[in-house]
Amino acid sequence: MIIRNPYDREDLKIKKKDRVLEVGPGHNPTYRADVIVERYLDTNYHRCGNVKIYPHQDFINANGETLPFKDKEFDYVICNQVLEHVENPVEFIREQCRVAKRGYMETPSLLGEFLFPKKSHKWIILHLDNKLILFEKSKMPGNYENNYGELFLNYLPYQSLTYKLLWLTEGDLMLNRCEWKDDIEFIVNPTDEKYTDFFTKPWNRQMVEQMYPRRSAAKELKKILGAFYYMIKNKVKSKAIKHIPVTLDEYMKLKNKK
C-alpha cells in the first residue's frame, strides 16, 4: 500500500543497510541505489540524455516488466518517471512489488502531463483513493503539443522561491510521489465514472476538493514551515556533498580495469 508522499527522492525512508534497486533512471540515477536496471541503451527516446551510472553501482540491461531477480531480493526499489512509458503497466508494477519489500514510485500527475507532455508517455496517472489510476493517453481529450516544461521544470524551480514552496507544499500538483510497502494498489483504464471523469471531463469543485482537501490555517503554516526547512537543509547538503555519475562507456572502462 502507499504509505506516504515524500518531497522527492532525497526524502525516502531507506535504511543504512538496505539493498536498493533503481529501475530506469536513465541520465539521472539515484546515488543511494546499489543496482541499476536500464532497458534501452541505444536510444534516448524515453529520456532526456545518455545513460549515466555511479561507479559503485552494478549495472544490468533488462526489461522492467521481467526483472532478473529473486522474490524480495531488494529491501527497496526506486522507480522515477518510468511507469508512464511502459507497455504493460500491470506486469511492471507487479515486478516492482515482487523483487522489493518497499519502494518509491514517481510519475507526472494528470495536470503535470498537460504542462510538460512527452510523446514517449503512454499513460496519464492519477493518485486518488491511495491508488494509482492509469488511463491510456491516446484516449484523453485535450492539447498535448504545447510543452511548458522549460518554464515549470527548468526555470521556476531555480528562480522563484514561491514556486519552489508551491512545488513542495502541493506535491501532487504536478507529480505523483508515492512511497509504498508490500504492494501498490492500481487500476488500469478504469470504467467507473468516479475515476474516468477526472480524465475526460472538466473538474468541478467537488473533484478539486477530493484531490486537494481543505486544510486548517495551522496545518497550512506547518506545511509551509516544513517545506522551508526541507529546502534549506537540501541546499546545504548539496553544497557539502557532490556525487558525479559517469557515462555508460566510462563505467564499462572502469569495470574492465578491475
Side-chain angles (χ1 to χ4, degrees):
M1 64 179 293
I2 295 171
I3 55 177
R4 63 187 288 263
N5 303 113
Y7 286 120
D8 52 33
R9 282 185 294 166
E10 300 300 318
D11 184 35
L12 305 182
K13 300 297 185 182
I14 299 176
K15 300 173 185 176
K16 187 175 182 180
K17 293 184 178 180
D18 281 349
R19 181 164 167 76
V20 180
L21 168 69
E22 185 166 22
V23 177
H27 67 290
N28 188 25
T30 304
Y31 184 79
R32 179 61 182 82
D34 301 297
V35 180
I36 296 292
V37 166
E38 192 68 46
R39 179 178 182 181
Y40 300 106
L41 305 184
D42 56 357
T43 175
N44 289 337
Y45 177 70
H46 289 283
R47 54 182 176 253
C48 298
N50 294 330
V51 171
K52 291 190 176 180
I53 313 157
Y54 290 102
H56 73 277
Q57 296 172 330
D58 292 325
F59 179 79
I60 295 175
N61 180 206
N63 185 344
E65 296 170 17
T66 53
L67 293 169
F69 306 115
K70 299 176 182 177
D71 292 358
K72 306 303 180 188
E73 186 170 334
F74 295 90
D75 298 292
Y76 201 99
V77 57
I78 299 169
C79 184
N80 180 53
Q81 305 286 324
V82 181
L83 179 60
E84 64 273 15
H85 295 266
V86 304
E87 289 297 322
N88 189 335
V90 174
E91 291 305 316
F92 186 88
I93 294 173
R94 285 176 177 169
E95 279 293 88
Q96 303 282 303
C97 300
R98 180 185 67 80
V99 302
K101 301 170 186 175
R102 312 181 328 276
Y104 174 67
M105 183 76 73
E106 180 179 313
T107 75
S109 69
L110 189 155
L111 296 178
E113 189 66 30
F114 274 114
L115 292 173
F116 33 88
K118 298 288 187 296
K119 291 182 179 180
S120 57
H121 292 179
K122 182 178 174 64
W123 304 96
I124 308 292
I125 303 169
L126 183 74
H127 179 205
L128 187 64
D129 292 342
N130 217 33
K131 302 181 182 73
L132 293 181
I133 316 297
L134 292 86
F135 197 82
E136 200 161 350
K137 188 175 178 180
S138 61
K139 298 178 181 179
M140 286 282 292
N143 174 18
Y144 286 95
E145 296 300 319
N146 296 331
N147 187 338
Y148 307 108
E150 186 61 31
L151 174 63
F152 290 102
L153 296 177
N154 301 331
Y155 183 78
L156 287 177
Y158 305 98
Q159 299 296 326
S160 170
L161 176 60
T162 52
Y163 179 81
K164 184 66 175 177
L165 282 174
L166 174 67
W167 188 274
L168 293 173
T169 56
E170 299 293 351
D172 286 344
L173 193 62
M174 296 186 191
L175 298 175
N176 300 312
R177 298 162 171 166
C178 302
E179 197 164 32
W180 58 269
K181 181 180 180 181
D182 298 328
D183 60 18
I184 304 171
E185 288 189 70
F186 64 93
I187 302 173
V188 177
N189 283 330
T191 55
D192 188 337
E193 289 183 356
K194 174 184 177 182
Y195 299 121
T196 58
D197 283 0
F198 280 94
F199 296 95
T200 60
K201 295 182 179 180
W203 288 14
N204 57 36
R205 179 56 63 89
Q206 181 181 359
M207 295 164 75
V208 168
E209 291 193 7
Q210 188 176 354
M211 286 296 300
Y212 305 102
R214 293 174 184 265
R215 294 193 292 258
S216 67
K219 286 186 177 179
E220 192 73 9
L221 181 60
K222 182 179 179 181
K223 242 185 180 318
I224 293 171
L225 292 176
F228 246 122
Y229 171 75
Y230 184 76
M231 189 167 49
I232 294 169
K233 182 181 72 171
N234 270 19
K235 192 73 173 177
V236 172
K237 183 179 176 182
S238 66
K239 288 185 177 296
I241 304 173
K242 289 188 181 295
H243 300 295
I244 301 174
V246 299
T247 66
L248 182 57
D249 287 342
E250 291 170 329
Y251 173 85
M252 296 308 296
K253 288 177 182 177
L254 290 171
K255 290 295 180 181
N256 289 333
K257 287 181 180 179
K258 294 182 179 180

